[in-house]
Amino acid sequence: MPRFIFVTGGVVSSLGKGIASASLAAILEARGLKIAMVKLDPYINVDPGTMSPFQHGEVFVTDDGTESDLDLGHYERFVRTVTGRHSNFTTGRIYERVIAKERRGDYLGATVQVIPHITDEIKASIMRGAGDSDVCMVEIGGTVGDIESLPFLEAIRQIGVELGRSQAIFMHLTLVPVVGGGSEIKTKPTQHSVKELRSIGIQPDILLCRAHDPLPAEHRRKIALFTNVEERAVISAVDARDIYEIPMLLHEQKLDEIVVEKLRLESKTQPADLSAWQAVVEAKANPSAEIHLAMVGKYVQNRDSYISLNEALTHAGVKTRTRVNIHFIESTDIEEQGTAALQGMDAILVPGGFGERGVEGKIAAVRYAREHRIPYLGICLGMQLAVIEYGRHVLGLDGATSTEFNRTTPHPVIALITEWQDAVRGAQSRDESSNLGGTMRLGGQDVTLAEGTRARTIYGKAVIRERHRHRYEFNNTYLERYRAAGLTFSGLSPDGLVEIVELADHPWFVATQFHPEFTSNPRDGHPLFTGFIAAARAHHEAR
């Protein structure tokens, strides 16, 4: 039976429960334990796939094609565990399942209620997510006191009672603010947050106290007395210079030892080896060069919209000892003001996105990179727009665009694909009237790389696996015309869909239909991003 660590948050949202959960998981993994990660989200959307990036940040995609909360990205960057369809559940998903059971008659005519039917479904989902792990981290989204979180909190309370304190423990993340000109530390918000948690029957075993600086001993002692938590289990979760330093900061306060002791896992663990994390932090803190990179996007007001992408660039900087200075440029600004903001940049990246807004600004950025011979990486929509730009300005295909933006275009070089093979779900189909949620080409797919191409050199192998999230594809009826004009199709799916395009006569111009950022992590990096940053560094040095 797996052990469970339930992670809740109080006082305010966005305190960093995901990073805290991932960091503790990283230490436990370093001690030889098999880890599972589960995120429970209280919003009623069935999944985050149709939610605005401005509100929710990016949608992370797992290998099995699940559109999930961005915290699963944190999990996969910190631990070797691969998340999937049993790793993220929302209120909407839970209620959808319960209602489907009620319609089938599974409840034999009983009155369907939050307790026990909703809470039982939550508990069953948690157990599926735990699998055969030694320890399952379960993060509850939102803040204690939110009405929508109550069914999840009640479910984990029940699990705590059913399994006992040696099988399930509770870790609560709170805020310890500093107020006033005298920098007075206030513990009252933490006391009230724990009081709220205890009022629904959950006594935390560990408190992670977010604070600017380490908590003085007297404040830790005060918090321990008022919350009925051991003083040694009141942990300072300080503002770190680097998020990849957090596992070491928590390990220094013996958080992993407390967890191992409370869950009686001593016989299954070894001393934590955090040398790989120390190497990451050291390399990131001591670059030997720096470059300036323009990310031309349409959601740049919310940095969480591109969080996996930002981290992948950071990982590439770690691997190449390069400080990557990302300049976020709104694509609509390029439409209105021109490409002056791209001058002096060592690299240009156009990420994914949906809808027509800002598209012409992104196309202008692609053209600037191609004509000025600046290293370019296009991802998903960034590949499609590279194809459109090349069609318009090299092949002379006037009006070339995607049917996503203009269904009557004379040159639909990018179009909606209606049938494709999914590695997990088999044959899939869709049309213009299909629901938006869950109808994209999603998850890990194999890609065959052509010999003699930059992509083949970058990856160093003939077949790779990368994750997808898109509705539109390159229109293969234009394939030979593009090839004759000099565009190289260096990666194809098993069923012939274009996955990677590149320019052989350009210093570094690569664009992918898939999202390589989803498989990058700080310890290993990702070959595509590492190659891109190395090219940007060479461009900077030459310039």
Side-chain angles (χ1 to χ4, degrees), residues 298-299 353-357 359 381 384-385 388 401-409 412 414-416 432 470-473:
K298 56 196 295 183
Y299 314 118
F354 296 91
E356 191 175 2
R357 186 183 68 84
V359 160
L381 181 62
Q384 297 172 7
L385 298 181
I388 292 169
T401 191
S402 168
T403 56
E404 180 182 6
F405 315 132
N406 181 3
R407 294 185 185 179
T408 62
T409 173
I414 303 295
L416 183 75
E432 297 287 357
H470 58 274
R471 264 184 203 90
Y472 293 81
E473 307 272 358

Side-chain angles (χ1 to χ4, degrees), residues 188-226:
K188 192 63 70 176
T190 294
Q191 296 174 38
H192 280 293
S193 181
V194 174
K195 182 180 178 182
E196 183 78 26
L197 195 61
R198 293 172 70 183
S199 71
I200 57 177
I202 296 175
Q203 167 62 49
D205 301 279
I206 299 167
L207 290 179
L208 258 60
C209 300
R210 277 299 305 272
H212 187 269
D213 298 305
L215 288 177
E218 62 268 25
H219 289 85
R220 293 176 62 241
R221 188 156 45 248
K222 182 178 181 181
I223 290 171
L225 287 171
F226 276 95

Side-chain angles (χ1 to χ4, degrees), residues 449-461:
L449 305 180
E451 289 189 18
T453 60
R454 186 182 299 277
R456 180 70 171 265
T457 301
I458 288 169
Y459 281 96
K461 51 188 175 182

Side-chain angles (χ1 to χ4, degrees), residues 67-192:
E67 294 177 286
S68 67
D69 182 81
L70 60 82
D71 278 315
L72 267 65
H74 291 314
Y75 301 162
E76 289 202 9
R77 287 188 285 273
F78 276 81
V79 297
R80 301 295 186 187
T81 299
V82 176
T83 58
R85 66 185 184 279
H86 297 315
S87 303
N88 188 204
F89 301 96
T90 67
T91 294
R93 178 76 72 189
I94 296 296
Y95 272 79
E96 181 184 56
R97 290 178 176 175
V98 170
I99 291 170
K101 290 180 178 180
E102 185 273 333
R103 293 289 81 190
R104 289 196 305 266
D106 291 6
Y107 299 124
L108 302 176
T111 301
V112 179
Q113 297 177 291
V114 173
I115 302 172
H117 301 98
I118 296 297
T119 51
D120 282 353
E121 187 63 36
I122 294 170
K123 290 192 290 184
S125 298
I126 291 172
M127 294 303 172
R128 282 193 294 270
D132 61 351
S133 62
D134 295 316
V135 177
C136 180
M137 303 283 305
V138 182
E139 177 191 348
I140 314 300
T143 306
V144 171
D146 295 344
I147 191 168
E148 58 263 36
S149 299
L150 286 174
F152 291 118
L153 296 172
E154 170 60 20
I156 65 173
R157 183 198 68 79
Q158 291 178 19
I159 292 176
V161 172
E162 291 163 4
L163 297 185
R165 301 304 265 193
S166 63
Q167 290 284 131
I169 62 173
F170 298 92
M171 185 169 78
H172 190 55
L173 185 66
T174 74
L175 177 68
V176 181
V178 173
V179 297
S183 298
E184 185 178 0
I185 297 172
K186 292 294 185 181
T187 64
K188 192 63 70 176
T190 294
Q191 296 174 38
H192 280 293

Side-chain angles (χ1 to χ4, degrees), residues 170-439:
F170 298 92
M171 185 169 78
H172 190 55
L173 185 66
T174 74
L175 177 68
V176 181
V178 173
V179 297
S183 298
E184 185 178 0
I185 297 172
K186 292 294 185 181
T187 64
K188 192 63 70 176
T190 294
Q191 296 174 38
H192 280 293
S193 181
V194 174
K195 182 180 178 182
E196 183 78 26
L197 195 61
R198 293 172 70 183
S199 71
I200 57 177
I202 296 175
Q203 167 62 49
D205 301 279
I206 299 167
L207 290 179
L208 258 60
C209 300
R210 277 299 305 272
H212 187 269
D213 298 305
L215 288 177
E218 62 268 25
H219 289 85
R220 293 176 62 241
R221 188 156 45 248
K222 182 178 181 181
I223 290 171
L225 287 171
F226 276 95
T227 60
N228 201 32
V229 174
E230 291 181 86
E231 185 178 338
R232 65 174 183 139
V234 178
I235 306 294
S236 293
V238 298
D239 298 339
R241 297 167 298 175
D242 180 353
I243 60 170
Y244 300 122
E245 202 176 357
I246 296 174
M248 289 173 287
L249 295 176
L250 297 180
H251 176 63
E252 288 171 3
Q253 297 179 72
K254 297 182 169 47
L255 175 60
D256 52 308
E257 289 187 19
I258 295 170
V259 168
V260 166
E261 178 187 318
K262 288 183 179 294
L263 293 178
R264 300 179 184 175
L265 287 166
E266 292 91 343
S267 63
K268 301 187 71 172
T269 64
Q270 60 197 29
D273 180 7
L274 299 179
S275 57
W277 292 106
Q278 292 165 346
V280 167
V281 171
E282 193 276 331
K284 188 176 175 183
N286 297 285
S288 58
E290 68 176 344
I291 59 104
H292 294 273
L293 180 147
M295 186 185 296
V296 182
K298 56 196 295 183
Y299 314 118
V300 295
Q301 298 96 322
N302 181 3
R303 297 293 187 264
D304 280 354
S305 299
Y306 302 114
I307 189 166
S308 290
L309 199 48
N310 298 339
E311 291 303 308
L313 292 168
T314 297
H315 306 160
V318 168
K319 301 301 287 187
T320 60
R321 290 278 180 157
T322 306
R323 176 175 288 114
V324 180
N325 299 305
I326 304 175
H327 299 258
F328 296 93
I329 299 173
E330 174 63 56
S331 55
T332 53
D333 291 344
I334 292 181
E335 292 178 351
E336 297 168 1
Q337 303 164 18
T339 57
L342 302 177
Q343 294 178 9
M345 293 295 161
D346 302 305
I348 295 174
L349 189 154
V350 174
F354 296 91
E356 191 175 2
R357 186 183 68 84
V359 160
E360 293 302 323
K362 289 186 174 187
I363 292 173
V366 175
R367 185 177 187 180
Y368 187 92
R370 181 177 61 80
E371 294 182 344
H372 290 78
R373 300 177 65 78
I374 299 171
Y376 174 79
L377 176 60
I379 295 175
C380 199
L381 181 62
M383 187 205 87
Q384 297 172 7
L385 298 181
V387 167
I388 292 169
E389 189 279 326
Y390 203 80
R392 290 180 185 178
H393 303 122
V394 179
L395 276 75
L397 302 177
D398 188 38
T401 191
S402 168
T403 56
E404 180 182 6
F405 315 132
N406 181 3
R407 294 185 185 179
T408 62
T409 173
H411 293 293
V413 295
I414 303 295
L416 183 75
I417 185 172
T418 57
E419 294 183 357
W420 75 100
Q421 289 292 322
D422 186 294
V424 175
R425 296 173 293 180
Q428 298 289 301
S429 63
R430 65 184 163 209
D431 57 35
E432 297 287 357
S433 63
S434 296
N435 289 339
L436 291 180
T439 62

